[in-house]
């Protein structure tokens, strides 16, 4: 394990730059920093979901995801590093299929909500979508492994399905978008 932080502030970022995992320095608003920063934000949002009462099966999945998002942040912070693999994506897909088969077919869009845990999960989903967009932006500028982008794409799908699961588990159910509400 690398060095542990014994002092939280270093003043090295006061000039608007930050250090990457390979020791290089980049602007704090660079595409790379935006990408791994948004992954960190997504991880924090999942932490907010975890602060709710959850079915144990959902909690276990989200805990694993949080570890993997930390790995993914490291991958994006260290150019050329690989931390997310096809097996990680396959696991997300398996969990996605498992949870989705328990749900009724979706015939309408649903509104984000459905109780506190579900609503927080929807927020996490949208932040993961943003992280995916940031990773795609980075990939246009610098090499990014496809697995990183694929992982984020599957994770947002999983979080959507988990939002549906949590809305039902909470007893709130889903609120369907009423596209006919404005018709006379």
């Amino acid at each position: 394990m690398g060095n542990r932080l014994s002092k939280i502030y270093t003043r090295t970022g006061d000039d608007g730059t930050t250090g990457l995992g390979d020791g290089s320095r980049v602007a704090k608003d660079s595409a790379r920093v935006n990408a791994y920063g948004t992954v960190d934000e997504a991880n924090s949002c999942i932490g907010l979901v975890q602060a709710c009462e959850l079915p144990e099966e959902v909690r276990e999945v989200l805990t694993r995801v949080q570890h993997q998002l930390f790995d993914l942040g490291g991958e994006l912070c260290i150019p050329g590093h690989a931390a997310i693999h096809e097996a990680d994506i396959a696991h997300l897909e398996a969990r996605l299929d498992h949870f989705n088969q328990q749900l009724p077919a979706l015939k309408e869009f649903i509104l984000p909500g459905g109780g506190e845990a579900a609503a927080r999960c929807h927020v996490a989903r949208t932040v993961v979508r943003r992280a995916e967009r940031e990773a795609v932006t980075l990939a246009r500028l610098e090499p990014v492994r496809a697995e990183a982008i694929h992982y984020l794409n599957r994770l947002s799908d999983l979080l959507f399905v988990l939002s549906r699961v949590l809305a039902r588990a909470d007893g709130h159910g889903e609120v369907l978008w009423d596209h006919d509400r404005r018709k006379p």
Side-chain angles (χ1 to χ4, degrees):
M1 181 55 74
N3 294 332
R4 296 285 181 188
L5 292 175
S6 58
K7 189 173 185 180
I8 299 302
Y9 65 91
T10 61
R11 297 191 177 121
T12 57
D14 289 351
D15 65 353
T17 65
T18 191
L20 296 179
D22 66 357
S24 63
R25 295 198 67 77
V26 297
K28 287 186 177 186
D29 63 351
S30 73
R32 184 166 297 280
V33 175
N34 284 335
Y36 73 73
T38 308
V39 167
D40 184 37
E41 185 180 349
N43 205 343
S44 295
C45 288
I46 291 172
L48 283 172
V49 178
Q50 293 271 54
C52 294
E53 191 170 318
L54 301 174
E56 190 55 35
E57 186 178 29
V58 172
R59 184 172 304 286
E60 288 171 8
V61 168
L62 292 179
T63 298
R64 180 176 178 152
V65 163
Q66 284 194 288
H67 286 283
Q68 290 172 330
L69 284 175
F70 208 82
D71 294 339
L72 178 56
E75 177 170 330
L76 294 171
C77 181
I78 305 168
H81 179 63
I84 294 296
H85 305 286
E86 284 298 329
D88 300 316
I89 298 163
H91 184 264
L92 285 183
E93 290 172 349
R95 301 314 298 155
L96 180 56
D97 291 342
H98 167 74
F99 285 110
N100 196 44
Q101 70 182 338
Q102 302 170 26
L103 297 170
L106 196 57
K107 296 176 181 159
E108 299 286 343
F109 290 108
I110 61 170
L111 300 179
E116 187 169 355
R120 288 180 184 198
C121 201
H122 278 293
V123 171
R125 171 187 57 81
T126 63
V127 175
V128 169
R129 282 280 189 222
R130 183 160 33 92
E132 179 185 9
R133 293 190 302 271
E134 297 286 355
V136 167
T137 297
L138 174 60
R140 288 193 180 122
L141 304 171
E142 300 178 43
V144 173
R145 294 174 58 252
E147 292 87 347
I149 295 168
H150 297 170
Y151 182 88
L152 291 168
N153 185 275
R154 292 318 176 286
L155 178 56
S156 63
D157 293 339
L158 176 62
L159 291 171
F160 175 76
V161 167
L162 289 179
S163 296
R164 296 188 68 205
V165 168
L166 293 172
R168 286 170 159 41
D170 226 5
H172 287 84
E174 299 168 317
V175 178
L176 300 178
W177 174 54
D178 180 7
H179 55 83
D180 293 329
R181 73 189 179 289
R182 294 184 179 207
K183 293 182 180 177

